[in-house]
Amino acid sequence: MGEHYFAARPGAASRRRTVDLVLPDLHLRLETDSGVFSPDRVDAGTRVLLETVPAPPQAGDLLDLGCGYGPIALTLASRSPQASVWGVDVNQRALELAESNANAAGLDNVRFSLADELDPGLRFAAIWSNPPIRIGKAALHDLLLAWLPRLSPGGLAHLVVQKHLGSDSLQRWLNDQGFPTERIASRSAYRVLRVSSRTEGHTR
């Protein structure tokens, strides 16, 4: 598989190209590069997520967890121009691309940063993510347990996961952790999971 897209500083030689994200409500041309997630096309799971989720909250702080070069965060920023959108990733090259893509699209309500540079006091009205399943189950669980508790009361997360990469077991695990989770869409072997903020009194 070569170098993983979740390396902090990809060593792959730069090879810039562009991909198009075409949705019913927007068209974005995005610059990508080697060493980032899905550089040759917008990932199918990301597209399923963006085509099936309900409209995001129109205000508040919204998070794209594992933003890559920005398709989810930029869609959030476009659909909720009065909200503050945050994209976090570990991949510096991806974050630089995402910032450039936001500028090119004229979206000034979105910011990108490393996860540990984001204000720990921020709470999110929505989290959208195509999470990095291939980092392994333990690391994925740690990632979700770090961010899902930062949902505001009544906030919702929407995650897209391939069925054969464990969407059903992830749904069960999230419920066991106190995050009510249900499948809201299924297409092309992808599942979109809606995750509610943790039930009161659940500290696991």
Side-chain angles (χ1 to χ4, degrees), residues 7-203:
R9 294 190 176 277
S14 176
R15 188 170 72 84
R16 296 286 183 105
R17 56 269 215 196
T18 59
V19 299
D20 288 289
L21 173 62
V22 181
L23 299 168
D25 57 329
L26 80 158
H27 179 185
L28 296 173
R29 177 153 291 176
L30 305 172
E31 189 173 24
T32 80
D33 201 347
S34 302
V36 303
F37 176 63
S38 195
D40 295 313
R41 63 185 178 92
V42 174
D43 177 71
T46 294
R47 183 174 296 281
V48 169
L49 179 76
L50 296 177
E51 291 178 348
T52 58
V53 290
Q58 293 303 294
D61 292 293
L62 315 179
L63 175 70
D64 173 6
L65 177 59
C67 62
Y69 52 82
I72 293 175
L74 299 188
T75 300
L76 281 167
S78 176
R79 290 176 177 173
S80 297
Q82 303 306 312
S84 296
V85 179
W86 305 89
V88 297
D89 207 293
V90 299
N91 185 318
Q92 293 274 11
R93 186 178 292 181
L95 290 170
E96 292 166 8
L97 287 166
E99 195 73 53
S100 175
N101 287 329
N103 291 335
L107 294 167
D108 60 4
N109 61 325
V110 57
R111 297 290 180 269
F112 298 93
S113 73
L114 296 169
D116 59 6
E117 294 178 353
L118 202 63
D119 178 359
L122 279 174
R123 295 296 177 265
F124 303 104
I127 297 174
W128 287 10
S129 183
N130 182 352
I133 299 296
R134 295 184 188 278
I135 62 176
K137 183 179 289 188
L140 175 67
H141 287 176
D142 287 346
L143 180 72
L144 294 176
L145 288 177
W147 291 95
L148 291 177
R150 296 177 66 173
L151 281 169
S152 302
L156 295 172
H158 287 88
L159 314 176
V160 62
V161 183
Q162 284 192 55
K163 180 181 179 182
H164 81 273
L165 291 180
S167 62
D168 294 343
S169 61
L170 182 63
Q171 180 179 349
R172 290 191 297 271
W173 178 82
L174 287 165
N175 276 305
D176 288 344
Q177 303 308 306
F179 296 101
T181 302
E182 59 185 314
R183 184 197 309 172
I184 65 161
S186 179
R187 186 197 302 172
S188 303
Y190 288 92
R191 306 285 192 256
V192 177
L193 304 179
R194 180 172 63 202
V195 187
S196 299
S197 52
R198 182 173 261 165
T199 51
E200 189 173 350
H202 199 294
T203 59

